[in-house]
Amino acid sequence: MPAIVIIGAQWGDEGKGKATDLLAERTDYVVKFNGGNNAGHTVVVGNQKYALHLLPSGILTDGVVPVIGNGVVVDIEVLFDELNALSSRGVDVSKLKVSANAHVITQYHRTLDKVTERFLGKRQIGTTGRGIGPAYADKINRVGIRIQDLFDENILRQKVEGALHAKNHLLVKIYNRRAIAVDEVVEDLLSYVERLRPMVADTGLLLNEALDAGKTVVFEGGQATMLDVDHGTYPFVTSSNSTSGGAATGSGVAPNRLERVIGIVKAYTTRVGAGPFPTELNDESGEWLRARGFEFGTTTGRPRRTGWYDAPIARYSARINGVTDFVLTKLDVLTGLKTIPVCVAYSVDGVRVDEVPVSQSDFHHAVPIYEEFPGWDEDITGARTFDELPKNAQDYVLAVEAISGSRISAIGVGPDREAIITRHDLLGALEL
């Protein structure tokens, strides 16, 4: 059975949670392999809406084992808050497994995230202030705290002391904030140990054994391709690898076991935070997309920047990730438009560029070149087959598919769990 990676192919908020949930009933394990509680998935089940931030969306499906991999940074307070909220609504959360090697977000990470962002002034990155970047920085600087460290108080105390030695000087002397006491941090982290202990596992071993036994494993990426720390619009990116390669490093499953990569794209484009965005609409059309698509962050509530579909970005994502299938979401949002522009290339200093420029400066100054397609007025939220879509909606999907670098295998036509059209089975055999 396959190991399948689901990634965002734009700047996030494309609907990855819904796609993961679509597959979850036919899978055995759903794995979050990167990021933290700095992004959210909204999943609608019946008349119930669930907003998840740290947990894999597969936790909402009976029989699925949700896994938080080693590539995730975990705010344990947020983890337990989410588990409590789901339990209170009757969701079984007992199967959750958390990697012993996942890094922990502490209170000093959250503090540093907020004060450094404010200190940047006009050069702010647009972080969520939840400590994700500082936690990953500590990981790379080899002063991070892992989940397994919480079970040895002596080791934990030594690591907190080491991490705070330089950070307290920074907080006090540069940012004019109070020093953070080692005891304060240690006591806070130790308070979670007993509840956390049954969840912790060697998740890399667990997942490899599952694949050996013929189980289906879905890897769910946080954020998206254009926010990847290596391949995104650096420095306006997240602090982890949110592309398909991150599924291997963030889970302990080898790349040659990842058989399929599903890229999620909206029928238009959104972005949260600062950074270049060629198709951004700072006009009535942008406001219309934001209102129609309810484009506000699941985690932060911030209004998302909105723009038309960007085919060069889709092609870039297809190439970087090895996308085998696209899921096109929120097609219904475009209903009512007379014409729908699609960015097919850019103009950079008057020269047509068909691919995403490698130069950040060029990308920042790229002007979209649009082709326009006829819109439709019919309500498509009840469509469950491609043929049930209006002809103009079909033509839009086919035109986008032809210029995006991979086939469109599923189409989201509404917020409900079942509001999706399947053109190619996402778990079926790949066509050669």
Side-chain angles (χ1 to χ4, degrees), residues 151-216:
F151 304 112
D152 186 325
E153 184 175 348
N154 290 331
I155 291 292
L156 176 62
R157 184 171 294 277
Q158 290 174 32
K159 290 196 170 186
V160 172
E161 286 175 348
L164 281 177
H165 179 71
K167 289 179 175 60
N168 274 334
H169 285 290
L170 189 66
L171 285 170
V172 173
K173 297 176 181 177
I174 303 296
Y175 298 123
N176 196 30
R177 296 294 191 275
R178 73 171 182 86
I180 297 174
V182 172
D183 286 346
E184 181 183 344
V185 176
V186 171
E187 289 173 11
D188 177 55
L189 294 177
L190 288 178
S191 70
Y192 302 115
V193 164
E194 291 311 311
R195 186 177 178 188
L196 188 63
R197 192 185 302 274
M199 305 175 189
V200 178
D202 181 347
T203 53
L205 176 62
L206 176 73
L207 295 171
N208 277 283
E209 288 179 341
L211 290 169
D212 290 342
K215 305 293 186 183
T216 299

Side-chain angles (χ1 to χ4, degrees), residues 371-386:
E371 288 186 16
E372 293 197 348
F373 299 89
W376 60 91
D377 292 318
E378 299 91 333
D379 180 5
I380 66 171
T381 56
R384 295 297 177 266
T385 68
F386 190 68

Side-chain angles (χ1 to χ4, degrees), residues 119-141:
F119 194 76
L120 287 171
K122 293 181 180 179
R123 297 174 58 237
Q124 289 184 6
I125 302 297
T127 77
T128 60
R130 285 163 168 77
I132 280 76
Y136 275 116
D138 276 3
K139 176 179 179 177
I140 299 305
N141 287 327

Side-chain angles (χ1 to χ4, degrees), residues 141-153:
N141 287 327
R142 293 166 293 184
V143 293
I145 294 169
R146 298 191 292 178
I147 291 288
Q148 61 176 281
D149 296 329
L150 273 62
F151 304 112
D152 186 325
E153 184 175 348

Side-chain angles (χ1 to χ4, degrees), residues 253-259:
V253 171
N256 63 349
R257 307 202 76 166
L258 307 176
E259 299 178 26

Side-chain angles (χ1 to χ4, degrees), residues 34-232:
N34 78 295
N37 58 305
N38 54 334
H41 299 312
T42 300
V43 180
V44 179
V45 183
N47 60 355
Q48 296 291 312
K49 181 181 287 188
Y50 299 88
L52 304 176
H53 306 279
L54 182 57
L55 294 168
S57 59
I59 200 167
L60 297 173
T61 303
D62 291 340
V64 170
V65 178
V67 177
I68 293 177
N70 58 274
V72 177
V73 287
V74 181
D75 186 320
I76 306 175
E77 180 180 359
V78 171
L79 174 65
F80 287 160
D81 284 347
E82 284 198 27
L83 291 173
N84 291 341
L86 290 180
S87 295
S88 70
R89 297 174 68 179
V91 177
D92 179 11
V93 299
S94 62
K95 291 186 177 182
L96 176 68
K97 296 298 178 185
V98 180
S99 172
N101 290 338
H103 279 246
V104 176
I105 298 173
T106 69
Q107 64 188 80
Y108 53 78
H109 292 132
R110 292 189 294 270
T111 299
L112 282 168
D113 199 357
K114 292 171 183 174
V115 298
T116 53
E117 183 76 350
R118 284 198 294 269
F119 194 76
L120 287 171
K122 293 181 180 179
R123 297 174 58 237
Q124 289 184 6
I125 302 297
T127 77
T128 60
R130 285 163 168 77
I132 280 76
Y136 275 116
D138 276 3
K139 176 179 179 177
I140 299 305
N141 287 327
R142 293 166 293 184
V143 293
I145 294 169
R146 298 191 292 178
I147 291 288
Q148 61 176 281
D149 296 329
L150 273 62
F151 304 112
D152 186 325
E153 184 175 348
N154 290 331
I155 291 292
L156 176 62
R157 184 171 294 277
Q158 290 174 32
K159 290 196 170 186
V160 172
E161 286 175 348
L164 281 177
H165 179 71
K167 289 179 175 60
N168 274 334
H169 285 290
L170 189 66
L171 285 170
V172 173
K173 297 176 181 177
I174 303 296
Y175 298 123
N176 196 30
R177 296 294 191 275
R178 73 171 182 86
I180 297 174
V182 172
D183 286 346
E184 181 183 344
V185 176
V186 171
E187 289 173 11
D188 177 55
L189 294 177
L190 288 178
S191 70
Y192 302 115
V193 164
E194 291 311 311
R195 186 177 178 188
L196 188 63
R197 192 185 302 274
M199 305 175 189
V200 178
D202 181 347
T203 53
L205 176 62
L206 176 73
L207 295 171
N208 277 283
E209 288 179 341
L211 290 169
D212 290 342
K215 305 293 186 183
T216 299
V217 180
V218 172
F219 297 84
E220 175 184 84
Q223 291 82 40
T225 298
M226 301 306 290
L227 293 176
D228 184 277
V229 69
D230 286 300
H231 302 291

